[in-house]
Amino acid sequence: MTELQVESGAVKRWLSGLASGNRRWIQGSVAAGTFAGIATIVQMIFLARIVHLGVIEKASSSVLAPLFTGLVLAIVFRAVAQGVQTHLAARCSEQVRRTARRQIHQHWRHRGPLLLGQTSAGSLAREWIDHVDALHGYFARFLPQMALSLIVPLIILVLVFYLDWLAGIFLLLSAPLIPLFMALVGMGAEKLNQQHFETISRLSGQFLDKVRGLTTLQLFGQTDGAAELIQQRSDHYRRITLKTLRVAFLSSAVLEFFASVAIAVIAIYIGFGLLGYITYGPSSDLTLFSGLLILLLAPEFFQPLRTLSQCYHDRAAALGAGAEILARLGDEPAPNPLAGATEDTIDKRLSVSNPLTHRESVELNSVSLALRADHPILRDVSLSIRKGEVIALTGPSGSGKSTLLHLLAGFLTPDNGNIDLFGKQAGSFAFGWLGQSGFLVHGTWADNLRLTSPDVSDVAIETALRNVGLGPLLDSRKEGIFSTVSEDGQGLSGGQARRLSLARIFVADYDVILLDEPTAGLDSDSEIFVLEALHKLALAGKTLIFSTHHYALLALANRVLLVSGGEVTDV
Amino acid sequence: MSELKPWLKLISARPGRLCIGALLMLAALLSGLGLLALSGWFITETALVGLLLAASLPATINLYVPGGGIRFFAVSRTVSRYLERLYNHDTVLRLLTDIRVALFRELASVGRVRRRELTGAQWLSRLTNDVDALDTLYLRLIAPAALAAFVTLLVIVLPAVLFNSAIASGIALILGVAFLLATLAVYLRTAKVTSRQSDQQESLRTAVIEHLEGFAELTAAGRTGKHGAWLLRQAHQSSSQQVKADCRIGWHQAGSNLLINLAAVFALWSGFALFRSGEISGPVLVLIPIALLGLAEVYGMLPEAFGKLGATQASAARLNRDCREDAFSVAAATTVLPEGAALVANDLAVKYPENAPLFTHFDLQVKTGERVGILGHSGSGKSSLADVFSGLLMPSSGACANLPCAYLTQQTVLFEDTLRANLLLASPSATDAELWRILERVDLAERFRSEGDQLDTWLGSSGSRLSGGEARRVALARVLLSPAPLLVLDEPFTGVDRVTREKITLQIDAWLEGKTVISLAHAPDALPGTDRVVQLGL
């Protein structure tokens, strides 16, 4: 979890940045909403006109028929505009989410595998999927509604003023300046939402905490106690939350109250005006048409604001999710050699296999690195590795073997000195990497190998799999390399998974292959296959560099380097 | 719908509360409708009377009843809305508690083997989403739908009384279609899309996690961009499904609005015929259409709620599946514990499906009071063996019998609670003095005496406010506190430095007097004091 606090201003700026890229959609949605509002007004005009003509002037149905047609047209137009509005709003949110996901993914790539590995894949995935989805309501509902809650009431207000300025003043007074109202609603709703979301997330946090530790609770025979605790805590939070809700709901009650009272006051004013009881002001000009129209428009005047107050939780959700995403994006970017490059150029640089340049060796010149200020891992290391050499890095754990591999891979950049692999920068070309944990994706064996080498032939895939000793397993599957890796929902063992990763290296024909403890934690079968496979790669003239303690691997190497005390020496 | 049944039963366990909440909602809806309809009636009536008065004809109007009614509805709409929101939020929070507690009890009764597949971060976040989907089932779906149906009936009865039954049935027909359009039709048109989207979301989550786990390999091969682009496309597809569902919901909403408005137009058009023939008065003619227009608000929430019903069903189905009892439990051979023995294991083997057995033919006899160490490299099956000893895991063959045991699992599990609450799990009746004594043994007493809250120090989520070694020692202290005669300690000193480890080993020696201890570790120096050491996997 990121404990980093992100100020809400920054989140709002980020959200509006996302919005500005999709302004067209939002504007379209607002335009459609405005049309729907205008259609509503037109509908009410027809309705009031029909009632006035029919009831007061006793007009015949042939006179009313065209007006009824207009009324139905306005209603249909209103429905279409409403439909288009949600359509555009949904599209807008779709685009925004795509942009946000792209941003986050770009950030992942800039951070590099090493720093990324420090956060659990589960929470990163949750940010990428769920948090981004939480932005939906903000862009699809809140933003357009924000504009609409200004535009539509304003149009209605102008019309009502034209019909009867006193009624217009009633409306204006009952919504004492719409911005003020919105602020009021906003403050109340924001507080309410914060409280509500906090409570809910605390409750679900506690619940998950207990579920996570269910086995431990069971071992101590405490599951009943825990269930009671969940109950008690939930109840406690409920009572606290309700206290705040009592106050928080008041702000929307105020909006409701003004809306209701405005309608009541206008109805009574118009009624008395029509009776001729009011001698002051414009009321003597009131007719059933203008009176009824004002009454019908009064609820429409408040409706956009009420809708907006219902959308406030969308805003709170987006701000919450945005804060977490931004905290991640705000993580200090890794000093990655590829940082700053755009998405495409990275891939291009990596995938274009430049012909080997003049330098036929891997060179480290006075490389130093300290992961923490007072704790140097490597001090002034200079090293030259010839092409085709098989290098074993050994040394006590924590001495910097992995760090050296990460430097060669370009996952880390040195504080000082430079690293040069066959005349190229570390990490600027494709190479083989085998980490301590194997990695496989849901799909077929072929999918798994084509993940890193999309263009290889079926035969090459099968050969590679046999080279790492997965032949027998492959033979047992009906469809060979086209059968899924994890049939019946069962995965591979750790050793098999690592061999699958090794097969990827086999199939790809890399010049440089870096392996971090390739045999650690393997069963003896897998170990033999890995050793054999590495031997084959060495015979094929690949430059292999691996860290290990394993005697058989040390024997395989034609040069053993001891990494210890920040120095690298030949053994 | 059957997947929702157990949850609906849970929700309906508070019938009184649900009814009061629904009545308050109804009061708010009817006040809103009443305010508009009565105002419309009043204005028309005054307009007609006003005309007569202007023509100096005799006319009377009762201003007090409608005026009072309008004022009453204005106030009752505000008050009932406020009370309704407060009361129903209370209900939702109560339901939230009910659902969580019930789910927790269910999960606690599920076998450990199944839960093993279910405890990842991925599963936990899915669980949260699924529970959230059920919390609001009543407030968002059941109550509004029932009320909308009820209010619709009332609004149909009104023209049946005031107009005639033919017009009322015409209105009923239109409103019936509008209701179906806003509820059932939305559900039918979106259920497939949303459940597909929910599945896509799940596989997307898996794919993203795979992408992140393989990030180093993908980066090395220069494929993060291409694979990331593929993920983006998958994510986009999933949101496209959602957009599709959203659009359908939006069009259904617009459609049901359209029909409600058309019902109002129909009422007005057919009402005019009655008005001209003198069967009804002008004010009554206006009242019905305006009441009908007010229905739009009553129907407003329905399409979205029904659009989510498909996803809610999927959530309920997943939760039901998580709580499913194990279909099989291996009936392993039993063995009897001889006198003076703390543990007997005969010919044990542990094998996970599709994997080579971790170990086979494992025999062990431990006398009471003995300290046995078991060594094995990582992946040799130490933790599975410890699971078998503690009864969490059934061996695939062989038998094991032992005294009641306290088990320190390899993974440090601390709860988001106080230090005291975490320790008391093992021995609920332990006194503060006892707790301090055990903390001294694991060299943590000073650490927590310096904290302001002492034993009430909050440990944070998963003990995140402690270092790895400190958290480990709290977990160790908890197991030591347990009255069980047999202790199984799996890698007791993970993350604990050598000096502290040696100190603790000495300090707990006396404490363990008379207890049987089996400790498992990857290397001899990671074991506490032992009488003998057994090598696993040789």
Side-chain angles (χ1 to χ4, degrees):
Chain A
M1 288 303 125
T2 33
E3 297 289 339
L4 244 159
Q5 286 295 314
V6 178
E7 48 146 353
S8 68
V11 181
K12 283 175 191 158
R13 276 196 298 283
W14 181 66
L15 288 176
S16 71
L18 284 175
S20 68
N22 297 281
R23 212 158 274 302
R24 245 166 2 110
W25 295 103
I26 297 176
Q27 282 165 349
S29 172
V30 171
T34 309
F35 280 129
I38 292 172
T40 310
I41 294 168
V42 172
Q43 176 195 346
M44 298 312 175
I45 292 174
F46 274 118
L47 202 64
R49 191 86 223 153
I50 290 168
V51 170
H52 180 86
L53 287 178
V55 173
I56 303 290
E57 306 188 359
K58 307 275 191 295
S60 66
S61 50
S62 60
V63 176
L64 293 182
L67 289 175
F68 266 105
T69 317
L71 176 60
V72 171
L73 278 179
I75 290 171
V76 170
F77 190 74
R78 178 186 176 183
V80 171
Q82 266 178 353
V84 170
Q85 185 195 344
T86 40
H87 201 101
L88 293 177
R91 286 259 170 262
C92 166
S93 133
E94 187 186 17
Q95 293 303 326
V96 165
R97 281 182 283 168
R98 182 190 253 188
T99 314
R101 292 215 167 93
R102 192 171 291 140
Q103 259 183 33
I104 297 172
H105 189 257
Q106 219 150 10
H107 174 76
W108 286 355
R109 300 179 69 200
H110 289 171
R111 274 180 75 73
L114 213 54
L115 287 172
L116 208 58
Q118 288 167 359
T119 314
S120 89
S123 38
L124 286 172
R126 195 169 61 240
E127 282 166 15
W128 201 74
I129 297 174
D130 301 322
H131 285 16
V132 172
D133 275 345
L135 303 178
H136 170 71
Y138 180 77
F139 289 97
R141 287 185 288 261
F142 182 79
L143 271 190
Q145 196 57 40
M146 185 105 151
L148 287 176
S149 65
L150 269 176
I151 297 170
V152 175
L154 213 60
I155 299 175
I156 292 177
L157 199 62
V158 169
L159 183 60
V160 172
F161 259 101
Y162 167 76
L163 292 169
D164 186 306
W165 59 263
L166 205 54
I169 284 177
F170 282 143
L171 276 191
L172 200 59
L173 284 182
S174 60
L177 304 171
I178 291 174
L180 189 73
F181 230 142
M182 276 165 58
L184 195 68
V185 171
M187 278 178 335
E190 198 146 2
K191 194 173 160 202
L192 179 156
N193 275 306
Q194 266 171 13
Q195 187 74 30
H196 194 65
F197 278 99
E198 245 167 57
T199 308
I200 300 287
S201 75
R202 271 188 96 162
L203 282 179
S204 71
Q206 288 217 333
F207 171 67
L208 289 183
D209 185 50
K210 296 278 184 278
V211 173
R212 200 182 288 126
L214 202 47
T215 303
T216 303
L217 291 171
Q218 239 165 7
L219 283 170
F220 291 114
Q222 293 290 324
T223 47
D224 281 340
E228 260 157 48
L229 199 66
I230 293 176
Q231 170 107 47
Q232 280 169 13
R233 290 258 166 89
S234 293
D235 220 48
H236 178 64
Y237 278 131
R238 179 181 63 80
R239 255 174 260 139
I240 294 177
T241 309
L242 279 178
K243 256 182 218 154
T244 25
L245 286 186
R246 243 170 252 157
V247 182
F249 279 151
L250 275 180
S251 76
S252 58
V254 167
L255 175 61
E256 201 79 27
F257 180 71
F258 273 102
S260 306
V261 166
I263 294 170
V265 166
I266 283 175
I268 290 172
Y269 159 75
I270 292 170
F272 279 62
L274 288 171
L275 285 172
Y277 289 5
I278 300 172
T279 49
Y280 166 80
S283 63
S284 55
D285 297 332
L286 275 174
T287 58
L288 180 56
F289 165 69
S290 59
L292 191 61
L293 181 56
I294 292 170
L295 178 74
L296 288 172
L297 288 177
E300 299 300 331
F301 178 77
F302 293 98
Q303 192 52 46
L305 270 173
R306 294 173 69 202
T307 313
L308 183 69
S309 79
Q310 283 162 13
C311 294
Y312 248 90
H313 69 94
D314 289 326
R315 179 172 175 273
L319 285 181
E324 283 197 31
I325 294 174
L326 215 57
R328 175 81 55 211
L329 293 179
D331 280 359
E332 172 191 7
N336 191 308
L338 306 178
T342 68
E343 207 167 323
D344 293 328
T345 56
I346 298 177
D347 271 359
K348 254 175 224 150
R349 265 202 270 162
L350 288 169
S351 58
V352 171
S353 51
N354 295 328
L356 278 185
T357 45
H358 48 287
R359 307 249 331 230
E360 290 286 293
S361 62
V362 175
E363 302 283 345
L364 275 80
N365 294 319
S366 350
V367 169
S368 300
L369 181 72
L371 291 182
R372 273 171 291 146
D374 53 339
H375 185 44
I377 304 281
L378 295 173
R379 270 194 303 250
D380 207 19
V381 171
S382 292
L383 198 61
S384 178
I385 296 167
R386 281 195 316 281
K387 189 169 191 289
E389 262 188 320
V390 178
I391 308 283
L393 305 172
T394 186
S397 69
S399 64
K401 298 187 296 291
S402 299
T403 307
L404 186 54
L405 283 171
H406 290 145
L407 282 169
L408 287 166
F411 297 165
L412 282 174
T413 34
D415 296 337
N416 283 308
N418 63 301
I419 300 172
D420 182 299
L421 296 96
F422 308 130
K424 278 174 285 186
Q425 223 185 349
S428 67
F429 59 95
F431 58 95
W433 174 264
L434 187 72
Q436 293 212 15
S437 54
F439 141 69
L440 54 107
V441 297
H442 272 67
T444 66
W445 296 90
D447 288 342
N448 264 287
L449 265 63
R450 291 211 167 105
L451 197 63
T452 47
S453 325
D455 304 321
V456 294
S457 69
D458 293 355
V459 179
I461 287 174
E462 188 159 349
T463 315
L465 288 170
R466 290 193 189 284
N467 265 326
V468 294
L470 289 171
L473 193 61
L474 209 57
D475 293 333
S476 73
R477 300 284 164 88
K478 272 184 223 112
E479 290 167 66
I481 63 166
F482 297 110
S483 47
T484 50
V485 171
S486 46
E487 260 174 9
D488 312 323
Q490 296 297 334
L492 299 180
S493 75
Q496 287 167 334
R498 201 168 319 165
R499 273 143 67 193
L500 176 64
S501 286
L502 201 54
R504 286 198 194 103
I505 293 173
F506 253 103
V507 89
D509 194 30
Y510 300 118
D511 291 314
V512 180
I513 297 162
L514 307 173
L515 311 99
D516 196 3
E517 306 258 9
T519 55
L522 289 189
D523 51 292
S524 48
D525 279 0
S526 285
E527 203 175 278
I528 291 167
F529 284 121
V530 169
L531 279 170
E532 271 182 17
L534 291 184
H535 188 61
K536 282 178 207 161
L537 286 171
L539 288 180
K542 309 290 184 195
T543 309
L544 295 177
I545 305 175
F546 48 78
S547 61
T548 191
H549 290 292
H550 199 281
Y551 66 95
L553 270 174
L554 290 175
L556 181 76
N558 50 25
R559 190 172 162 199
V560 177
L561 296 173
L562 177 70
V563 184
S564 179
E567 291 174 2
V568 179
T569 47
D570 272 282
V571 176
Chain B
M1 287 289 172
S2 59
E3 53 274 68
L4 289 177
K5 221 182 250 165
W7 306 103
L8 290 176
K9 212 169 126 197
L10 197 64
I11 290 172
S12 57
R14 300 178 178 276
R17 203 153 235 295
L18 300 189
C19 283
I20 295 176
L23 284 177
L24 284 170
M25 274 170 120
L26 183 66
L29 290 176
L30 287 183
S31 302
L33 278 186
L35 177 64
L36 279 181
L38 189 60
S39 300
W41 178 91
F42 179 66
I43 287 177
T44 318
E45 177 76 14
T46 52
L48 288 171
V49 173
L51 280 180
L52 293 176
L53 288 177
S56 306
L57 291 168
T60 53
I61 177 166
N62 178 354
L63 289 174
Y64 295 103
V65 174
I70 288 171
R71 280 196 296 272
F72 169 77
F73 281 136
V75 174
S76 76
R77 181 166 98 147
T78 313
V79 173
S80 57
R81 174 73 68 197
Y82 175 73
L83 290 178
E84 176 265 311
R85 293 187 70 187
L86 202 59
Y87 192 83
N88 282 327
H89 268 80
D90 190 1
T91 308
V92 166
L93 288 174
R94 281 171 204 260
L95 290 177
L96 185 94
T97 311
D98 290 353
I99 291 176
R100 296 227 154 115
V101 171
L103 187 65
F104 182 78
R105 288 190 191 278
E106 288 281 337
L107 286 172
S109 66
V110 170
R112 147 100 162 165
V113 185
R114 248 194 84 64
R115 205 175 329 114
R116 188 192 276 279
E117 13 174 310
L118 294 180
T119 36
Q122 189 186 348
W123 177 73
L124 287 172
S125 72
R126 202 207 76 203
L127 189 73
T128 321
N129 292 345
D130 287 346
V131 172
D132 286 349
L134 289 171
D135 287 343
T136 49
L137 193 60
Y138 163 73
L139 189 62
R140 297 179 54 106
L141 195 115
I142 301 172
L147 288 176
F150 184 71
V151 173
T152 307
L153 279 182
L154 283 184
V155 176
I156 293 168
V157 169
L158 214 56
V161 175
L162 296 174
F163 289 8
N164 62 37
S165 55
I167 297 174
S169 33
I171 293 173
L173 189 72
I174 301 176
L175 289 184
V177 175
F179 185 77
L180 287 181
L181 205 61
T183 55
L184 192 64
V186 180
Y187 166 68
L188 291 177
R189 293 248 295 150
T190 56
K192 219 178 257 168
V193 179
T194 48
S195 82
R196 196 183 312 143
Q197 195 242 343
S198 152
D199 288 344
Q200 265 177 358
Q201 196 94 336
E202 282 308 301
S203 55
L204 178 66
R205 198 184 297 277
T206 312
V208 174
I209 288 175
E210 286 169 353
H211 176 75
L212 288 162
E213 280 169 351
F215 212 79
E217 277 185 56
L218 288 169
T219 306
R223 299 283 302 169
T224 45
K226 288 280 184 313
H227 196 244
W230 174 80
L231 280 180
L232 277 169
R233 277 199 302 281
Q234 298 294 310
H236 191 64
Q237 247 173 39
S238 158
S239 27
S240 297
Q241 294 288 336
Q242 196 205 343
V243 165
K244 202 170 171 186
D246 269 12
C247 288
R248 285 186 182 173
I249 293 171
W251 284 110
H252 276 261
Q253 173 122 42
S256 80
N257 257 339
L258 173 75
L259 286 172
I260 289 170
N261 280 307
L262 286 181
V265 174
F266 172 75
L268 191 61
W269 175 259
S270 49
F272 265 119
L274 299 179
F275 174 69
R276 280 190 210 99
S277 65
E279 279 174 62
I280 57 167
S281 67
V284 170
L285 168 69
V286 175
L287 185 138
I288 303 283
I290 292 187
L292 283 169
L293 287 181
L295 260 191
E297 193 186 330
V298 181
Y299 279 35
M301 272 175 77
L302 296 182
E304 209 187 320
F306 276 84
K308 290 203 171 107
L309 183 54
T312 308
Q313 270 180 299
S315 292
R318 280 195 292 261
L319 289 178
N320 294 343
R321 198 180 60 207
D322 290 346
C323 295
R324 192 185 60 204
E325 292 286 335
D326 276 336
F328 65 97
S329 60
V330 186
T334 50
T335 184
V336 192
L337 199 62
E339 189 75 18
L343 180 138
V344 177
N346 287 331
D347 198 26
L348 284 185
V350 167
K351 179 182 180 305
Y352 290 102
E354 292 259 323
N355 281 293
L358 283 167
F359 53 83
T360 50
H361 308 299
F362 181 83
D363 294 296
L364 185 68
Q365 280 239 5
V366 181
K367 291 195 285 291
T368 44
E370 209 179 356
R371 314 266 172 93
V372 178
I374 297 176
L375 286 181
H377 60 85
S378 69
S380 62
K382 280 190 311 288
S383 300
S384 300
L385 185 63
D387 280 359
V388 171
F389 290 164
S390 65
L392 286 177
L393 181 69
M394 281 296 194
S396 44
S397 71
C400 178
N402 52 262
L403 295 174
C405 79
Y407 175 25
L408 176 66
T409 52
Q410 188 177 34
Q411 196 192 358
T412 306
V413 179
L414 294 182
F415 293 93
E416 203 177 329
D417 212 324
T418 59
L419 174 65
R420 186 202 309 273
N422 269 289
L423 291 176
L424 285 182
L425 276 182
S427 169
S429 57
T431 62
D432 281 10
E434 282 173 297
L435 298 186
W436 282 118
R437 220 173 303 141
I438 194 67
L439 286 174
E440 261 159 35
R441 301 281 167 159
V442 296
D443 215 25
L444 276 177
E446 250 173 79
R447 160 80 173 76
F448 286 105
R449 282 227 166 84
S450 64
E451 293 271 345
D453 291 328
Q454 306 257 318
L455 284 173
D456 289 319
T457 304
W458 192 261
L459 295 190
S461 112
S462 310
S464 58
R465 294 195 47 224
L466 303 177
S467 78
E470 285 169 344
R472 192 63 187 160
R473 284 183 279 155
V474 172
L476 177 63
R478 184 168 62 191
V479 169
L480 292 176
L481 203 57
S482 160
L486 170 65
L487 301 184
V488 178
L489 310 175
D490 189 2
E491 299 279 5
F493 296 126
T494 310
V496 181
D497 63 88
R498 180 187 294 270
V499 179
T500 317
R501 192 162 64 202
E502 281 163 4
K503 204 167 157 195
I504 295 175
T505 304
L506 282 177
Q507 285 171 351
I508 62 174
D509 205 52
W511 180 280
L512 293 172
E513 197 61 51
K515 292 212 180 195
T516 314
V517 184
I518 300 176
S519 23
L520 305 95
H522 64 282
D525 62 346
L527 285 173
T530 48
D531 299 332
R532 65 185 168 111
V533 171
V534 178
Q535 190 80 31
L536 181 67
L538 274 184

